[in-house]
Structure formats: C-alpha cells, structure tokens
Amino acid sequence: MRNLWIFISRYNAFFLFIIFFTIGVSLTLKNNAYQRSVTLNSSNEVVGTAYERLNVFKRYLNLGMVNDSLAAENAKLKTSLLALTTVDSAKDTKVIDTITNQQYTYLAAKVIKNSITLRNNVMTINKGALDGIKGGMAVIAPQRGVVGFIRDVSDHLATIQSLLHKDTKISVVVKKSQALGSLVWGDGNFNIKKALIKEVPNHIKMYVGDSIVTSGFGSFPKGILVGRVSKTNVATNDNFLSAEINLFTDFSTLQYVYVVKDKTAEEQKALESLVKPNE
Amino acid sequence: MNSRIIIVNIIRWFLLLFVQIFLLKNMGFYDLSTPFIYVLFLLLLPFGIPNILLYLLAFGTGLTLDAFYDTMGVHATACVVLAFVRISFISISLNRDAIDDPEPSLSYMGFQWFSLYALLCVLAHHVVLFFLETFRLTEIGYTLMRCGLSCIFTLLIILLVEFIFYRRTSR
C-alpha cells in the first residue's frame, strides 16, 4: 500500500493528467451537442454493424425455409401465367353497350407501317378482310385516343387513313357541355400532337383542359377520349368556335391499334341510304 | 518576492485572456489559422509550482476560455494536455535540483530552449484542441492543416511578446 502511494506520488503528473483529461473530455461530450451526437452515432454504428453481421448469419440459417416459400409462390405464379397465355388475346372482344343496345367488337392489330411526317398519313396494319375488317371502320389507340379509319382492305392487311390526313374528320363532343364539333388535323398546324376541334356552336364556352370525347355519331363508339383543349378561340374563317387540343394518341410510338367493328353499321347505312339527298 | 510573482501572474492572466477573448477571437486567416495566445500564461508559470496547482490553473483557464468560446470542455482539455507536456518536458530537459530561475521565460532560459518548449506545448495544445473541436477523422487533412498553421501563428505571437518583454539577465 505504501509502495503504491509512493508510486502514485512519484508519477503524480501523469495521474493528475489522466484525471483532468477525463474531466475535460466528459465535459466536452456532455455540453456540446455536436460532439455528443458524433460519439453516440459512432457507437450506434458499431452496435448496428454487429447486429447486421448477426443477421447475415441468421438469414443464412433460414435459407431453406425461404427457398421453399419462394418455390411455392413460383408454382402459383406459373399456374396463373398459363391461364393467361393460353387465351388468344388477339381474338374478338365484345363490348356491350347496354344503353343504346349497340354492339361493338374490338380487334387488336399490329401496326406494320406507320407514317407521321407527310401531310396525308396512311398506316398499314396486319389484319385484313379475312379477319372481318371492312373499309370505313374506326380505329382507336390502345389506352386512349383515336387513330383514324380503315381505308383499303386486302385479305391479310389493311390501310388506315389516320387522323393526320386532310380527309379525316371525326365527330366529337366537348365532354362537359356535350357540344358537337368535328376533329380535324392540319389547317396550318402540322404538329402530330395537336389537332383542331371545329364547328362548335358559338354559344358554347370552352375552357383549356376540357376533355374531348367521340360523339358516337360516326363509326366510333361514344365516349372515347380524344384529347384535352389546350388553346381556345383559335381564329378561323367561319362562324363557329374552334379550339386547339392536345391529342392523347401518340402517333409516333403507335405499335398496336384496335379496329372497332360495328355490328349495325351496314344496317344503318342501308337505312340511311333510303333518305334521298335534297328531299 | 513570492507575492510579487503571484501578482504578476494574475495580471498576466487577465491581460492575456482579455487580449485572447476580445481581440484574437475575432481574428483568423480563412478559418485556417487562429492564434491562441493565452497559453503563454501556462507556459510562464513559475518552475516551483506544484503539479496539482498547475493542473487546476490550466483547467480553470481553459474553462474560462470555453465559457467565452461556447465550447464547453474543449479548451480545458487542451490546457490540461499542455500542462502535462510542460511538466514532462521540464523534467526531461532540466535538472530538477539545479533550477534557480523563477520562471521558464525567454529572458531566463534563452531562445533555443524556450522556442522548443513553446513549440512542443503549443503543438500538443492545438492538436488536442482542433481534434476535439472537429471530432471526426474524416477531415483529418484539413484539421492537421489548421493545427499546423495555427501553431505557427501562435508561436510567432508568443515569441514576439517574449521579445518585447525581454529582460537581459545575468545568467
């Protein structure tokens, strides 16, 4: 004990240093938020890393169980995939319109030739007369938006006169006010993302952002989204309102289209032909 | 004689801390070089001072500085380290029995001894100070640069002060 005391008093500088240094550092850690946070964080980091290592170990032990559950899930998914792939999705799908009792069917077709740079653009699809396509049928885009009309049909192929054509005119309505108009492209505007809605009666108010849908008066089913008004009050030389709309259809990336078959189209045509013009 | 030493040291303490807190605290070159002249007080304490008193004074001085710098404990720790270096250096470089000079100042000890003494003490103080302040090793280059540059600055001022109050003595 005495020796220890002598030892301590001989090296008192060092022991006093240890004591005061400890006090100083603890004061620093206690009173300075930054230093404290760094100390705590690094110790947390050490603990966290240790736990992570442990976890890796645990996961390794659980691998068998995880494997089994994954295999079971895989089998389930494969079964459901089988149910999907065996169905021919390119077959006729029926859309039953219960209000007007009309019946449209959609036929999916692949675009094999597309054109967007000309004044009058025509594209070709890989379905033709053998698939039941006839001239004048409406063609729509997969998600939303219109494409055009069937123009000429061969046995296996058909051409579409797209909306980007001077002769294409689609009957549309402003969704909010149900005001009738017609959709055309061109007329000084050759941007494939824009089109004009013309011949809207003057008393109708159109606002930017209004949805434009098909009217159902032509070959198109009623209510297919066409686009949104982007600019109102476009000056034209007639007594009707015109507006510029942003098309939903992106003609530049069109891969698949739906051809709309209208069951009553011929009946309607025959019936209407009985009415003589200028009667 | 003894009371004179005490009074001189008290005056020195107030003077150095005043200069440090009100003048040098606002000085610095690009946040890289900051002088800490107040350590001169600890360097110039008389040889005969007991270790415990030296540590207490160092700790107290550091705490006073901390109060003004809002860095609780950082300066105190650095000063304690300085005190330890001071004790070690004196006990190694000087014969304990042959010390008849009152204090380790430039006037008594000569330029060579004093500059080495000041360099070691200031270096230890600054290294501890800046590393405690930064408290991380990721910016070690920047911290070391601050240490070195501040050390040079502090040493320069300490030597300047010592030369101003230089008294030729008969050694």
Side-chain angles (χ1 to χ4, degrees):
Chain A
M1 191 64 211
R2 204 170 142 268
N3 283 344
L4 181 69
W5 190 245
I6 288 171
F7 174 76
I8 289 179
S9 61
R10 173 173 288 179
Y11 297 103
N12 66 346
F14 180 71
F15 288 110
L16 284 173
F17 167 71
I18 297 283
I19 293 169
F20 277 99
F21 190 79
T22 318
I23 297 173
V25 172
S26 57
L27 267 181
T28 311
L29 293 185
K30 202 175 170 191
N31 291 307
N32 297 5
Y34 167 69
Q35 269 88 345
R36 191 171 58 233
S37 71
V38 168
T39 327
L40 279 179
N41 279 348
S42 42
S43 55
N44 277 352
E45 215 162 277
V46 172
V47 174
T49 321
Y51 271 120
E52 210 175 275
R53 291 278 154 77
L54 202 68
N55 246 358
V56 169
F57 228 52
K58 271 188 184 165
R59 258 190 314 212
Y60 183 74
L61 294 178
N62 284 342
L63 268 185
M65 221 158 72
V66 173
N67 230 354
D68 289 347
S69 74
L70 275 182
E73 192 179 344
N74 233 353
K76 213 162 80 186
L77 285 177
K78 267 199 175 149
T79 321
S80 51
L81 188 68
L82 210 64
L84 285 177
T85 45
T86 45
V87 173
D88 189 356
S89 56
K91 274 203 176 141
D92 288 0
T93 345
K94 288 186 178 175
V95 176
I96 298 170
D97 189 342
T98 50
I99 297 173
T100 56
N101 212 14
Q102 276 191 336
Q103 193 172 346
Y104 293 104
T105 53
Y106 288 2
L107 177 65
K110 194 174 179 206
V111 176
I112 55 175
K113 186 180 143 287
N114 196 355
S115 139
I116 53 170
T117 51
L118 306 175
R119 170 65 184 93
N120 299 317
N121 295 290
V122 173
M123 50 180 115
T124 313
I125 55 173
N126 71 341
K127 294 270 159 73
L130 293 183
D131 301 293
I133 294 182
K134 294 192 181 80
M137 280 180 171
V139 183
I140 60 174
Q143 272 92 35
R144 50 189 191 170
V146 294
V147 175
F149 298 103
I150 298 289
R151 186 188 167 99
D152 301 308
V153 186
S154 69
D155 276 357
H156 299 101
L157 302 174
T159 52
I160 302 172
Q161 172 185 317
S162 93
L163 175 65
L164 317 178
H165 193 284
K166 73 172 169 21
D167 294 334
T168 310
K169 240 183 184 184
I170 299 172
S171 169
V172 292
V173 293
V174 183
K175 198 175 178 188
K176 213 187 276 173
S177 53
Q178 293 293 317
L180 206 60
S182 57
L183 183 73
V184 294
W185 184 77
D187 247 3
N189 149 52
F190 297 106
N191 183 345
I192 58 163
K193 293 199 167 148
K194 308 249 179 190
L196 288 178
I197 171 165
K198 288 178 139 189
E199 295 162 19
V200 179
N202 259 326
H203 64 278
I204 300 294
K205 281 211 168 69
M206 272 194 289
Y207 301 99
V208 172
D210 278 355
S211 294
I212 306 295
V213 298
T214 51
S215 66
F217 292 158
S219 325
F220 284 98
K222 186 180 167 72
I224 289 174
L225 279 168
V226 173
R228 257 178 227 295
V229 174
S230 64
K231 203 165 100 188
T232 52
N233 300 326
V234 178
T236 41
N237 300 329
D238 50 24
N239 294 324
F240 292 101
L241 272 181
S242 295
E244 193 181 73
I245 70 169
N246 274 334
L247 290 171
F248 286 139
T249 321
D250 187 354
F251 284 93
S252 57
T253 59
L254 217 51
Q255 301 249 330
Y256 284 91
V257 294
Y258 288 118
V259 181
V260 181
K261 293 183 187 167
D262 185 356
K263 205 173 88 178
T264 59
E266 297 206 343
E267 193 179 327
Q268 191 180 354
K269 213 190 247 170
L271 187 64
E272 280 166 4
S273 68
L274 296 178
V275 182
K276 304 221 166 35
N278 302 325
E279 195 175 32
Chain B
M1 183 61 191
N2 213 348
S3 61
R4 200 188 135 262
I5 290 178
I6 294 175
I7 290 171
V8 164
N9 272 302
I10 289 175
I11 292 172
R12 195 184 279 148
W13 190 84
F14 275 108
L15 211 66
L16 284 173
L17 258 72
F18 185 84
V19 169
Q20 178 69 44
I21 290 162
F22 291 104
L23 179 67
L24 297 181
K25 187 174 185 286
N26 310 313
M27 258 174 86
F29 290 105
Y30 307 107
D31 209 12
L32 273 174
S33 183
T34 349
F36 290 102
I37 183 71
Y38 74 96
V39 298
L40 186 57
F41 166 74
L42 299 173
L43 292 180
L44 291 185
L45 282 171
F47 277 124
I49 191 167
N51 283 343
I52 176 83
L53 184 59
L54 175 60
Y55 277 121
L56 281 177
L57 280 175
F59 198 75
T61 312
L63 274 187
T64 316
L65 251 284
D66 279 331
F68 284 98
Y69 271 72
D70 277 332
T71 52
M72 203 59 197
V74 175
H75 281 275
T77 316
C79 283
V80 167
V81 172
L82 185 144
F84 180 68
V85 172
R86 178 197 141 118
I87 292 168
S88 313
F89 184 75
I90 288 177
S91 72
I92 290 169
S93 66
L94 296 177
N95 188 354
R96 191 182 285 262
D97 303 326
I99 301 174
D100 44 6
D101 299 307
E103 57 183 29
S105 67
L106 187 67
S107 330
Y108 293 110
M109 305 307 297
F111 178 76
Q112 204 182 351
W113 188 87
F114 182 79
S115 53
L116 186 61
Y117 167 65
L119 171 69
L120 285 177
C121 289
V122 168
L123 194 64
H125 173 269
H126 280 31
V127 166
V128 172
L129 180 72
F130 283 117
F131 271 95
L132 266 183
E133 205 176 18
T134 320
F135 219 76
R136 61 171 75 155
L137 288 177
T138 44
E139 300 164 359
I140 190 162
Y142 178 65
T143 311
L144 282 179
M145 197 156 73
R146 279 177 76 193
C147 278
L149 291 175
S150 303
C151 209
I152 290 168
F153 200 176
T154 309
L155 268 181
L156 211 68
I157 295 180
I158 283 177
L159 288 177
L160 264 177
V161 170
E162 278 298 277
F163 272 116
I164 289 169
F165 295 104
Y166 188 77
R167 269 175 302 162
R168 187 166 297 278
T169 51
S170 53
R171 286 189 54 123

